Structure formats: structure tokens, C-alpha cells
Amino acid sequence: MGVNLRGRNFLKLLDFTPAEIRYLLDLSKNFKDLKRTGTPHRYLEGKNIVLLFEKTSTRTRCSFEVAGMDLGMGVTYLDPGSSQMGKKESIADTARVLGRMYDGIEYRGFSQDLVTELADYAGIPVWNGLTDQFHPTQMLADLLTIEEKLGHLKGVNFVYMGDARNNMGNSLMVACAKMGLNFTACAPKALWPAEDLVKECKKIAKENDCTVTLTEDVKKGTKNADVIYTDIWVSMGEPDSVWADRIKILKPYQVNKEVMKNAKDTAIFMHCLPSFHDTKTTIGADIAKKFKIKEMEVTDEVFESKQSVVFDEAENRMHTIKAVMYATLK
């Protein structure tokens, strides 16, 4: 039986079967081929989408805008100052208004409950561009990148290092469990994912012949890894006051040459970006001055190495987001 996602929301991967995720990945490959060969694919001409951003982003915004325009759609971008959502107008009312003007809504912000409420009232597909709990569009790009680089997903040993209780740690654990990758969160126990989500993911992983492991031991956690993945130590929206504690607790979990040597020779390094691997940003320079460290979650040596696939991963945001929009709006 074929997969049909028309009219579906895309809020978290927990809502999708492995077969549905597989369909989106295969569709992404097709769109990537069309883009690379310069073949027009304005399959959604005449439709319009709106992008609601409470958190700014380079990759998410550009991916949705380019993907939407490639598909022939009109795209409206609303930043936090361009909408009355949640201020003078309720989420439900905003959703019902936008649902009468647009064919799809993307939301990137803080609350998973908020994007769920948008979906409940909009009457059109709503796509989660990132919340504090989940980041599903990034997951499709990550899975596509792993498959391109390693040739398969099933049985891949995937290690996430850092703050494993954030949206990336949560989402990667779900994605791996759904698609048969062995997931390891290598992090301080205080930063492990919530127990209820771990329990749910272990159940899903068992169904898909893979494992979910939590460890504080860097050497054991990264041994024989196929993928080493990390993210910035302080997420957007968190106060600057947490930097000192976060650096102290996460410094042993920095991805460096020793970590990559402990993984398989064929291992790849991944990061959802942006990354503090040097001091060429205002925040990076400020952190270096305050805390006397020039690199944070990953060393520049690893970030710029041949094992690093971060820019392939970033490009794949566009192709996978295109697949999600097409599949739900066609």
C-alpha cells in the first residue's frame, strides 16, 4: 500500500511510521536530483505558505524559502515583530486567519504546545521548524546525510554528545529508534533525555532491531561509532548566565581528535549548526574572552576535517523540507 501524507501536519517524528519516514527520504533524494540537474519542479504552483519565526535561523528560513519557491509557491516570512500572534491575537485565532489565506504554515519557536495548537486550529498542514522539544525537519536532513555517506541506516552506531535533553537529543533519539540506528547519548547524567521519552524510544527501538543507550563514559560511548554528532552547548533563548555551568559540565564531552580516533576509521562528524568551533563569531569571541576557551562543542580540527559532513547536512535541509511540503500539500 502506498504512503499518502496529504493534509498531514509535520510536528514530530513520533507521529510517523518508519515507512512514512522512508517515503520522505526517498522523495528528498528525488528532489535533490532534480535540483542538481536544474530540472524545473514547480509542482505546487499557485499555492502559498507562511513562515512564522519566533526564533531566527539561517538554514531553516532559507531552506523553506528556496524549497517553496522551487516548488512554485508564494512565500511570506513573518518575524517576531511582524505578527500579533500570542500578543494581541490568540494562537487559535491566528491559526484560523492564516488557514484561510495560506496552504501551509511553518512555525519555528519555543513551545511544542504552541505548534500543536496552530495545527489544531489552522485546518491546513503545519510544519515544525524547531521547538524546544523537537526538531523534525533537521532529522530528515540528518538521516539523508548518513545514508548518503555510509550507504545505509539500519545498524549504524550513532553517538550524540553534549546536552542530550534538548530538542536535538530528543529528536535524534526518536529518529534513530524509528529507522533502526543504534543510538547512544554520551552526556552527563543531569543532561540525559526525559525518562518517559527514553522509555518510549526504547520500545520503538526494540520493534526496529536497534538500541537506545545512555552513558556518561566518553570512551565507552564513542567506541566503534559510525556517526559522532554534537550541538552547541547553550541553545537560543537560554540566558547567558548558564554558559559558565554548561561549559564546566560539558567540556569533557567536546568532540575532538581523540574522540574521532576512538570511533571507527570511517566515522563521520555531524552538527546541525551554527557551531562554536573557533572565535570568528561575536559570541565565540566573547566566550573565549570570558572563559579562556577558543573552541567549545567541537574543535576546529574536527570541524574542518574530511570526516566532517556538516555542510552536506546543511544543504540537505532544503531537499528534505521540500519533500515534506510537497508530500503534505500535493
Side-chain angles (χ1 to χ4, degrees):
M1 187 175 177
V3 173
N4 184 2
L5 302 182
R6 189 170 187 265
R8 289 272 298 273
N9 298 307
F10 192 73
L11 307 184
K12 58 186 185 299
L13 283 196
L14 284 169
D15 300 332
F16 290 80
T17 67
E20 290 169 337
I21 297 168
R22 178 75 267 162
Y23 168 74
L24 289 170
L25 292 174
D26 290 343
L27 192 57
S28 302
K29 292 178 184 179
N30 182 51
F31 277 125
K32 188 169 185 175
D33 289 341
L34 293 175
K35 182 75 171 179
R36 290 285 178 90
T37 57
T39 306
H41 43 283
R42 298 173 65 83
Y43 302 152
L44 298 179
E45 199 145 19
K47 293 187 181 293
N48 296 282
I49 61 171
V50 60
L51 313 180
L52 302 177
F53 274 63
E54 288 190 312
K55 283 186 177 182
T56 57
S57 168
T58 300
R59 278 151 299 283
T60 302
R61 178 180 176 178
C62 293
S63 294
F64 270 99
E65 287 193 343
V66 174
M69 290 184 284
D70 279 356
L71 289 168
M73 296 192 288
V75 181
T76 300
Y77 171 77
L78 295 178
D79 62 26
S82 301
S83 167
Q84 295 301 328
M85 182 177 71
K87 291 175 281 189
K88 292 183 179 180
E89 188 166 41
S90 70
I91 306 304
D93 289 355
T94 299
R96 287 180 285 191
V97 168
L98 295 178
R100 288 171 178 245
M101 297 182 181
Y102 292 94
D103 299 286
I105 299 171
E106 180 272 350
Y107 170 79
R108 178 183 170 91
F110 297 93
S111 171
Q112 185 73 19
D113 290 339
L114 191 153
V115 76
T116 300
E117 189 175 0
L118 278 174
D120 288 343
Y121 285 94
I124 58 175
V126 173
W127 312 298
N128 178 4
L130 175 143
T131 63
D132 287 348
Q133 193 171 359
F134 294 110
H135 196 358
T137 58
Q138 180 69 50
M139 294 307 98
L140 291 181
D142 293 341
L143 291 170
L144 179 60
T145 306
I146 293 168
E147 192 163 71
E148 286 176 339
K149 300 302 178 183
L150 301 182
H152 62 103
L153 293 175
K154 288 276 187 182
V156 163
N157 295 324
F158 184 103
V159 179
Y160 177 79
M161 299 184 69
D163 187 348
R165 61 184 180 161
N166 67 10
N167 48 25
M168 288 303 299
N170 291 341
S171 298
L172 287 165
M173 182 168 59
V174 172
C176 289
K178 288 275 184 177
M179 300 309 289
L181 293 78
N182 299 312
F183 175 84
T184 297
C186 187
K189 195 168 187 177
L191 302 183
W192 284 1
E195 286 186 23
D196 57 342
L197 183 60
V198 172
K199 185 177 179 180
E200 185 174 5
C201 286
K202 284 187 174 182
K203 181 181 177 182
I204 295 169
K206 188 175 181 180
E207 294 169 359
N208 294 303
D209 298 317
C210 58
T211 59
V212 170
T213 303
L214 309 179
T215 182
E216 293 186 286
D217 192 313
V218 173
K219 281 204 168 183
K220 285 184 180 178
T222 59
K223 187 68 177 174
N224 294 321
D226 294 296
V227 179
I228 300 289
Y229 199 119
T230 193
D231 190 14
I232 54 176
W233 289 343
V234 175
S235 298
M236 188 184 301
E238 291 190 286
D240 289 345
S241 58
V242 305
W243 273 109
D245 289 340
R246 206 66 58 80
I247 288 171
K248 182 179 180 180
I249 194 172
L250 286 176
K251 197 170 182 182
Y253 297 89
Q254 179 189 68
V255 179
N256 50 40
K257 183 173 66 177
E258 287 69 35
V259 165
M260 296 306 295
K261 278 185 176 180
N262 198 45
K264 290 182 182 177
D265 293 340
T266 54
I268 58 175
F269 168 73
M270 300 180 71
H271 194 305
C272 56
L273 302 181
S275 168
F276 295 127
H277 59 96
D278 55 29
T279 58
K280 295 177 182 177
T281 63
T282 53
I283 293 177
D286 185 52
I287 294 300
K289 185 177 180 181
K290 287 181 179 177
F291 301 103
K292 311 302 180 189
I293 58 169
K294 294 183 178 180
E295 304 159 315
M296 282 180 267
E297 75 278 4
V298 58
T299 62
D300 193 58
E301 180 180 29
V302 171
F303 187 89
E304 297 292 353
S305 71
K306 290 182 179 179
Q307 291 174 286
S308 176
V309 299
V310 298
F311 297 110
D312 296 301
E313 185 184 356
E315 179 196 337
N316 282 338
R317 291 296 305 285
M318 173 178 61
H319 307 302
T320 50
I321 283 171
K322 191 179 293 183
V324 169
M325 291 195 294
Y326 173 76
T328 54
L329 293 181
K330 65 180 178 179

